[in-house]
């Protein structure tokens, strides 16, 4: 599911919370070691996502946010903010040579580190731990 989140819409916020859970609280975020990725460059993406990126001529960037039941990929096109919501049960993520391949159904995105930074392997390990259901989110 891809949503335009440029404007504060309670319906979309509720849909996000239902799909992947509410944001982690401050203490859970600290316990996890952070819930957001570094800035990532989008190298390739599916046709559905590429249609949004084609609207401007700027480099395509995104960030990944961890949620209790999935991830949210945040990206921008022109002056609009979009989110791609992926529950863990539908998430397929692979670590490839200096990039990550993220897929949900027919939509996919290949991302790499921005500004010649290596990808954050700690973040990927946190993501894999959450996806496998090992993390207990009670504090």
């Amino acid at each position: 599911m891809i949503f335009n989140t440029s404007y504060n819409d309670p319906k979309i916020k509720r849909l996000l919370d239902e799909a992947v859970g509410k944001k982690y609280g401050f203490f859970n975020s600290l316990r996890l070691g952070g819930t957001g990725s570094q800035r990532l460059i989008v190298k390739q993406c599916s046709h559905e996502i590429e249609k949004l990126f084609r609207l401007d001529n700027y480099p395509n960037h995104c960030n990944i946010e961890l949620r209790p039941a999935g991830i949210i990929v945040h990206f921008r096109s022109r002056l609009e903010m979009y989110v791609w919501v992926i529950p863990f049960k539908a998430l397929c993520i692979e670590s490839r040579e200096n990039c990550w391949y993220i897929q949900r159904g027919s939509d996919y995105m290949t991302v790499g580190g921005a500004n010649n930074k290596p990808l954050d392997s700690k973040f990927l390990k946190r993501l894999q731990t959450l996806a496998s259901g090992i993390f207990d989110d009670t504090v």
Side-chain angles (χ1 to χ4, degrees), residues 46-48 84 101 103-108:
S46 62
H47 180 68
E48 178 86 19
W84 180 27
Y101 177 78
Q103 181 180 2
R104 178 190 184 186
S106 62
D107 291 330
Y108 69 90

Side-chain angles (χ1 to χ4, degrees), residues 32-34 36-38 66 100 118-130:
L32 274 172
S37 73
Q38 66 187 25
L66 296 176
W100 296 336
L119 288 170
D120 188 0
S121 61
K122 290 180 186 177
F123 180 80
L124 184 60
K125 287 178 186 174
R126 279 191 301 257
L127 174 58
Q128 290 171 335
T129 301
L130 286 170

Side-chain angles (χ1 to χ4, degrees), residues 44-133:
Q44 289 181 332
C45 55
S46 62
H47 180 68
E48 178 86 19
I49 298 169
E50 188 175 342
K51 284 191 300 188
L52 298 171
F53 280 135
R54 256 191 256 147
L55 297 175
D56 64 12
N57 295 324
Y58 296 105
N60 303 327
H61 293 96
C62 71
N63 293 81
I64 300 173
E65 175 188 353
L66 296 176
R67 292 281 185 107
I71 64 171
I72 298 178
V73 180
H74 297 266
F75 59 94
R76 181 176 213 121
S77 177
R78 296 186 88 172
L79 297 176
E80 304 289 319
M81 289 293 301
Y82 294 94
V83 294
W84 180 27
V85 181
I86 310 171
F88 285 137
K89 61 185 176 188
L91 174 66
C92 176
I93 188 163
E94 297 176 15
S95 180
R96 295 184 178 173
E97 194 174 305
N98 294 329
C99 63
W100 296 336
Y101 177 78
I102 304 166
Q103 181 180 2
R104 178 190 184 186
S106 62
D107 291 330
Y108 69 90
M109 195 180 277
T110 303
V111 297
N115 302 328
N116 296 325
K117 290 183 181 177
L119 288 170
D120 188 0
S121 61
K122 290 180 186 177
F123 180 80
L124 184 60
K125 287 178 186 174
R126 279 191 301 257
L127 174 58
Q128 290 171 335
T129 301
L130 286 170
S132 65

